Amino acid sequence: MRPITGSWAGATPLAQLEDSTFPSGTFLTFELPAQHRSDNNMIMIIPNWVVGYYDMRKYAMFISFRVPSGRYDRGVPDPFTYAVNIYYTDSPQQTFSRFTYLLVTLYDGEVYTNTTVGVVLRMYSSNYHGARVGVCRQMQQKETNCYDGLDNDCDGLTAILDPDCAAEARLYPLHPMVPL
């Protein structure tokens, strides 16, 4: 991880995802504007569903799309432009963070999985104006609940359509509805 200077002050989240607003096993799709096009230019994830040693309510992930233009992104190095950048900070309060780290940079078609907090991000496509992204809260790293209709491992395949469920699907096939 690499420290980034500055803060997220002045920008408003397009979405703030936490336990109550981020259902497990379902991709939420967003049209994420390039940072220079709107003050609502990022997605903030507060992983307060994670139980353990760290109090994850004190941390946040920020997802943004950057192009070399405008008030936020002038001078951003080329490898981080025309890309979705995922950052990690020690505070969901944007102006009170002590550090911000760049976790990963994604380009069209790429996927990032953070197993520590159970978040999967897909960058579907982009242009100069923004990016289309999907975010999913992972319940399992491998699909085990094959009949709940959810994508518990966030691989893009729901329940019985997931290859992880192939053996179970052979044992308990779904029966087509017969018209009366």
Side-chain angles (χ1 to χ4, degrees):
M1 289 190 287
R2 175 164 127 159
I4 306 296
T5 59
S7 73
W8 295 94
T12 304
L14 177 66
Q16 182 171 319
L17 305 176
E18 51 190 85
D19 194 28
S20 63
T21 59
F22 194 15
S24 297
T26 303
F27 269 95
L28 302 178
T29 303
F30 297 94
E31 300 297 329
L32 187 60
Q35 283 194 308
H36 75 281
R37 296 188 55 81
S38 170
D39 284 339
N40 299 71
N41 59 28
M42 45 109 165
I43 299 168
M44 182 167 78
I45 300 174
I46 301 171
N48 59 350
W49 58 85
V50 177
V51 179
Y53 178 74
Y54 296 105
D55 183 357
M56 294 309 285
R57 293 171 297 180
K58 296 179 181 175
Y59 296 89
M61 293 171 70
F62 291 93
I63 302 164
S64 68
F65 181 72
R66 321 241 0 215
V67 297
S69 175
R71 61 184 180 234
Y72 295 116
D73 289 340
R74 195 158 305 204
V76 172
D78 285 345
F80 307 109
T81 61
Y82 299 104
V84 167
N85 293 284
I86 304 171
Y87 303 90
Y88 168 78
T89 182
D90 67 333
S91 174
Q93 303 300 318
Q94 300 165 29
T95 55
F96 296 113
S97 63
R98 291 174 295 179
F99 62 82
T100 300
Y101 290 104
L102 176 63
L103 292 174
V104 69
T105 297
L106 297 180
Y107 300 95
D108 289 359
E110 293 185 334
V111 178
Y112 169 70
T113 302
N114 185 310
T115 56
T116 303
V117 297
V119 170
V120 175
L121 177 82
R122 293 181 181 275
M123 183 172 168
Y124 298 117
S125 61
S126 66
N127 60 35
Y128 180 76
H129 302 291
R132 187 165 190 263
V133 299
V135 184
C136 185
R137 187 171 136 204
Q138 195 178 51
M139 296 167 58
Q140 306 156 342
Q141 290 184 17
K142 182 179 178 185
E143 189 75 44
T144 58
N145 191 346
C146 297
Y147 295 97
D148 65 356
L150 299 174
D151 183 9
N152 298 309
D153 59 359
C154 297
D155 65 356
L157 301 169
T158 55
I160 202 69
L161 299 175
D162 195 307
D164 295 335
C165 293
E168 193 166 330
R170 284 191 299 275
L171 293 174
Y172 306 102
L174 295 176
H175 298 285
M177 293 179 59
V178 178
L180 296 176

